[in-house]
Amino acid sequence: MAKGEQAARDIIREVKAAKVVARQLDLADTKSICQFAENIYNTEKALHYLINNAGVAICPYSTTVDGYEMQFGVNHLGHFFLTFLLLDLLKHSAPSRVINVSSIAHTMGKIQFDDLSGEKDYHPIRAYAQSKLANVLFTREMAKRTEVLGVTTYSVDPGVVATELTRHFKRPLLDVLKTFKFLAKTPAEGAYTTIYCTVTPENQLHTGGYYKDCARAEPSRAGQDDGTALKLWAVSCRLLDIRWR
């Protein structure tokens, strides 16, 4: 919260008339997600843009408060649940948008329906790629369900960005990252495509689409599999014990 509040103060200082509030949210805890959503409903009259940007990457095996594998639980299920809880406000505020920040790592991903918990065979890179593929598939399936409600949705590859997301990286991956650090984007540059999907007129975007470098791009073949997207949707609803038609 201290970092978030400092960031809010920095923005307010730099942007005249900006109103920025930092709120606590732990995507590894469904109770925290519920409390956050309740706070939003109690304090905000409208929600036009929901940017699902939080994440953990390539961490050692651990579980969320609710027992989900950490990367799948935070990167996918946490955002899925948060979006579900805020959907009424998004619909009320239509036209509105949901932007899910994925990664080029989704191209290495496969949804392991027989081992979503990672208990049988956990590999940190494979688990991360799976969670990023889930972002793309969630976007694709949600678009079909919410476009008629005035809520559009997009997935984004921000590129390789120099942030603390890499804090769990170990050698040799860490050595590769250090060698090519000069190629990494700054956090500001990493936000460009997310901002592009936020401010570009809706008729110039494709709901359900995947974007990188401020343009529509082609996701992996797995990221275009509507059958897997529908199955992931159903499994996610079952895991979270929600009904999202």
Side-chain angles (χ1 to χ4, degrees), residues 8 11-12 15-21:
I11 295 168
I12 290 168
V15 183
K16 289 182 179 178
K19 294 181 180 179
V20 185
V21 179

Side-chain angles (χ1 to χ4, degrees), residues 53-59 69-75 128 131-132 165 167-168:
N53 182 58
V56 290
I58 312 182
C59 54
E69 184 274 310
M70 185 62 73
Q71 296 189 82
F72 185 76
V74 170
N75 299 353
Y128 179 67
S131 72
K132 294 291 99 181
L165 186 69
R167 62 189 176 275
H168 294 296

Side-chain angles (χ1 to χ4, degrees), residues 26-32 62-70 74:
D26 182 0
L27 285 165
D29 183 353
T30 54
K31 187 179 290 185
S32 174
S62 60
T63 59
T64 67
V65 172
D66 303 278
Y68 310 121
E69 184 274 310
M70 185 62 73
V74 170

